[in-house]
């Protein structure tokens, strides 16, 4: 059990999929459960049953529904034999959406017209600082896909 906790600490993850000897998905174990269950003999007894896996064949809308209707922000992706083939997180979906949106807008702006994409830096002394987006004079039709504050990126949900 120490080895699992040590691997999670080295990987800087708070939870990870747990598989059996045949590499079949059992569930998710959290670092907190490992710390609290330090006297436990079997890691499988520490599995968090609330983490639902996602089958690799499901559509993105099912993934989004699962990740937004449960407390989990990521899920193990499994195949027909319940083997973990990867993980997917809300941040992965948002990052990919943003990249795709930017690529499409760049292509559209290369065609000409009034469509385009811009990355704007707001200076610390700007009147926009500490103001809500709704109260600013952003022109109608402008789509804001993300706000980045230092190293933190916030996807828009409005």
């Amino acid at each position: 059990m120490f080895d699992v906790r040590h691997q999670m600490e080295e990987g800087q993850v708070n939870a990870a999929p747990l598989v059996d000897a045949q590499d079949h998905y059992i569930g998710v174990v959290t670092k907190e459960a490992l710390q609290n269950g330090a006297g436990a003999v079997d890691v499988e007894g520490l599995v968090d049953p609330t983490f639902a896996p996602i089958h690799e064949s499901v559509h993105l809308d099912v993934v989004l529904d699962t990740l937004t209707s449960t407390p989990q922000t990521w899920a193990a992706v499994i195949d027909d034999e319940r083997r973990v083939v990867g993980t997917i997180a809300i941040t992965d979906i948002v990052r990919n959406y943003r990249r795709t949106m930017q690529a499409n807008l760049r292509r559209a702006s290369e065609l000409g017209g009034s469509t385009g994409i811009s990355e704007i830096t707001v200076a610390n002394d700007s009147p926009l600082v500490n103001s809500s987006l709704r109260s600013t004079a952003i022109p109608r039709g402008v789509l804001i896909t993300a706000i980045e504050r230092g190293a933190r990126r916030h996807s828009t949900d409005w």
Side-chain angles (χ1 to χ4, degrees), residues 13-86:
V13 295
N14 292 321
L18 186 66
V19 296
D20 63 16
Q22 291 78 39
D23 287 333
H24 297 132
Y25 176 81
I26 297 171
V28 170
V29 65
T30 64
K31 193 164 47 172
E32 181 181 351
L34 290 169
Q35 290 167 342
N36 293 341
V41 178
D42 188 11
V43 176
E44 290 183 27
L46 302 176
V47 166
D48 184 341
T50 63
F51 272 80
I54 296 175
H55 191 272
E56 66 183 344
S57 67
V58 301
H59 292 278
L60 186 57
D61 59 337
V62 174
V63 175
L64 285 169
D65 186 48
T66 300
L67 295 179
T68 57
S69 64
T70 63
Q72 70 193 72
T73 57
W74 67 274
V77 179
I78 59 172
D79 64 12
D80 289 335
E81 281 92 43
R82 295 189 55 81
R83 290 193 172 89
V84 176
V85 295

Side-chain angles (χ1 to χ4, degrees), residues 56-121:
E56 66 183 344
S57 67
V58 301
H59 292 278
L60 186 57
D61 59 337
V62 174
V63 175
L64 285 169
D65 186 48
T66 300
L67 295 179
T68 57
S69 64
T70 63
Q72 70 193 72
T73 57
W74 67 274
V77 179
I78 59 172
D79 64 12
D80 289 335
E81 281 92 43
R82 295 189 55 81
R83 290 193 172 89
V84 176
V85 295
T87 59
I88 189 163
I90 293 172
T91 55
D92 298 326
I93 296 167
V94 170
R95 187 179 311 114
N96 190 51
Y97 171 79
R98 184 170 185 258
R99 268 194 303 251
T100 302
M101 180 68 76
Q102 287 176 334
N104 288 339
L105 287 172
R106 280 192 185 98
R107 263 182 265 143
S109 63
E110 289 169 1
L111 297 173
S114 62
T115 304
I117 184 168
S118 296
E119 290 190 29
I120 301 168
T121 302

Side-chain angles (χ1 to χ4, degrees), residues 6 8 44 57 71 75 82 96 114 116 129-130 132 145 148 156:
H6 181 70
M8 289 174 71
E44 290 183 27
S57 67
R82 295 189 55 81
N96 190 51
S114 62
V129 173
N130 296 323
S132 71
T145 59
E148 189 172 332
T156 59

